Amino acid sequence: MDILHKNSTVSEFILLGLSSSQEVQIIFFAVFFVVYVAIVVGNLLIVISVLFDNHLHSPMYFLLANLSFFDLCLSSVATPKVIADFLKTLKSVSFWGCMAQMFFMHFFGGGEMSLLIAMAIDRYVAICKPLHYKTIMNRRVLLVLLLLSWTIGFIHTTSQMVFTVGLPFCGPNVVDSIFCDLPLVIKLACTETYILELLVIADSGLLSLICFVLLLVSYIFMLATIWQHSSSASSKAVSTLSAHITVVTLFFGPAILIYAFPFSSYSINKFLSVFYSILTPLLNPIIYTLRNQEMKSAIKRLSSQHVGSGWSLKYCL
Ligand SMILES: *[C@@H]1O[C@H](CO)[C@@H](O)[C@H](O)[C@H]1NC(C)=O
């Protein structure tokens, strides 16, 4: 480890957080804490319902459960430390802690991005090739799609972190954010980072922009297909598709703004990273459990089986 780190005299980074006022930080602490608990509970609920409810044993729900799992991982990389940091005056993170945060953020982020594409492929087959859906989206294809998501996430993060870890950090170590954000940390290196900045723009920004446009176009194509062959099932399909489009937009929107124009406006980036770490992982549970009838009934079944007659989640939904 120290061999890699030989060019740097910086052993820790200082995070500025969101505010220097004690009272404001306590409010942030409370809000982030509540939201994080909601993220964990909501996403776990999706994973557990899909795993244990036979009604939800279909490719779409397996992919959704995996998306929730990614969300759990993604939000657990930095958020618990961010929450604890709100109670500290000096927020620091070790050199390797900072590198690990960026590595895993992009690992799970890249994986989630690929999984959203897999979900679009699944919907495409269901809508445009309904008679062959069962044969095309079989267990093997699902596992290949999942394996691809993890692999793409790994390649995506490694391709950027390999160069970031080797940068010389010789003094400036203040990151004006709540966690280590790749563009901000690269800026601190005492060397010309122009090429690496371009790599990050291409690898994170351009990639999300291209995926986003492709996903949007394919969902519009699917919507058009449904409207052409309007059938009794079409309103349900439209509501599923609009849920997917919402998730895709809210996932990629901030990513594109942060990484396609990363070295411009810092105050916007700070706001976006909050959005990213706290709001995006909360979206799946909100969108899928509150809007999807099958998911709702699965959670109700789950709660009546396992929670018993006392208080039950039934009353929340
Ligand atoms: C992810 O999808 C696979 C493939 O069908 C499924 O077997 C697995 O249970 C899912 N994982 C989670 C955490 O839901």
Side-chain angles (χ1 to χ4, degrees):
M1 286 272 207
D2 282 336
I3 298 169
L4 270 174
H5 189 25
K6 65 180 183 302
N7 295 327
S8 299
T9 52
V10 166
S11 62
E12 62 173 18
F13 292 94
I14 306 296
L15 300 163
L16 287 189
L18 290 177
S19 162
S20 49
S21 142
Q22 192 93 48
E23 290 79 21
V24 176
Q25 297 216 67
I26 288 178
I27 296 171
F28 277 127
F29 171 83
V31 172
F32 273 63
F33 184 81
V34 169
V35 174
Y36 183 65
V37 170
I39 289 173
V40 172
V41 171
N43 283 299
L44 270 183
L45 216 57
I46 291 185
V47 170
I48 292 170
S49 327
V50 172
L51 288 183
F52 292 102
D53 195 316
N54 290 329
H55 298 84
L56 299 183
H57 284 181
S58 75
M60 187 178 96
Y61 287 106
F62 278 135
L63 290 172
L64 176 62
N66 279 278
L67 189 71
S68 279
F69 181 71
F70 267 115
D71 268 338
L72 268 177
C73 298
L74 187 60
S75 60
S76 300
V77 172
T79 313
K81 176 169 169 14
V82 167
I83 293 171
D85 275 350
F86 281 128
L87 298 181
K88 293 183 197 150
T89 340
L90 184 68
K91 312 167 201 332
S92 65
V93 54
S94 71
F95 181 87
W96 288 107
C98 182
M99 295 298 151
Q101 270 186 6
M102 295 185 289
F103 179 89
F104 286 108
M105 284 273 197
H106 283 267
F107 180 41
F108 296 123
E112 185 158 338
M113 194 169 83
S114 321
L115 203 62
L116 288 171
I117 295 174
M119 291 175 79
I121 295 174
D122 168 73
R123 284 304 85 202
Y124 174 82
V125 176
I127 288 164
C128 301
K129 306 251 185 290
L131 299 179
H132 305 287
Y133 182 66
K134 284 246 157 66
T135 37
I136 297 178
M137 294 301 295
N138 58 33
R139 194 148 186 91
R140 234 183 77 213
V141 170
L142 261 185
L143 287 178
V144 168
L145 286 175
L146 283 181
L147 207 64
L148 266 178
S149 302
W150 287 97
T151 314
I152 291 173
F154 184 77
I155 294 174
H156 163 72
T157 188
T158 310
S159 65
Q160 304 176 112
M161 290 311 295
V162 157
F163 300 106
T164 308
V165 158
L167 288 175
F169 292 94
C170 58
N173 69 340
V174 177
V175 179
D176 185 11
S177 188
I178 49 178
F179 51 79
C180 287
D181 215 0
L182 192 54
L184 298 183
V185 173
I186 289 176
K187 270 283 176 212
L188 297 176
C190 335
T191 180
E192 185 50 67
T193 54
Y194 182 66
I195 303 281
L196 185 53
E197 289 175 28
L198 276 185
L199 176 76
V200 171
I201 291 177
D203 203 335
S204 298
L206 211 57
L207 199 66
S208 356
L209 191 61
I210 293 172
C211 288
F212 179 57
V213 171
L214 285 179
L215 282 169
L216 221 51
V217 168
S218 54
Y219 278 123
I220 289 170
F221 178 74
M222 287 182 241
L223 280 174
T225 309
I226 295 175
W227 279 320
Q228 264 171 16
H229 317 265
S230 60
S231 66
S232 57
S234 72
S235 78
K236 195 179 145 202
V238 169
S239 111
T240 308
L241 286 186
S242 50
H244 282 227
I245 293 173
T246 315
V247 169
V248 162
T249 308
L250 292 171
F251 179 80
F252 281 104
I256 291 169
L257 288 176
I258 293 179
Y259 290 104
F261 318 96
F263 302 97
S264 47
S265 158
Y266 291 113
S267 47
I268 290 231
N269 277 5
K270 199 164 163 175
F271 168 74
L272 286 173
S273 49
V274 172
F275 189 89
Y276 213 58
S277 57
I278 280 292
L279 289 181
T280 313
L282 193 58
L283 287 175
N284 289 334
I286 292 178
I287 289 173
Y288 287 101
T289 48
L290 297 187
R291 294 205 36 209
N292 182 313
Q293 207 49 52
E294 276 159 59
M295 200 72 215
K296 265 196 222 174
S297 2
I299 291 174
K300 280 179 192 166
R301 281 194 293 273
L302 190 78
S303 62
S304 54
Q305 271 169 31
H306 297 285
V307 181
S309 55
W311 87 252
S312 132
L313 282 162
K314 269 193 270 253
Y315 303 116
C316 311
L317 293 171

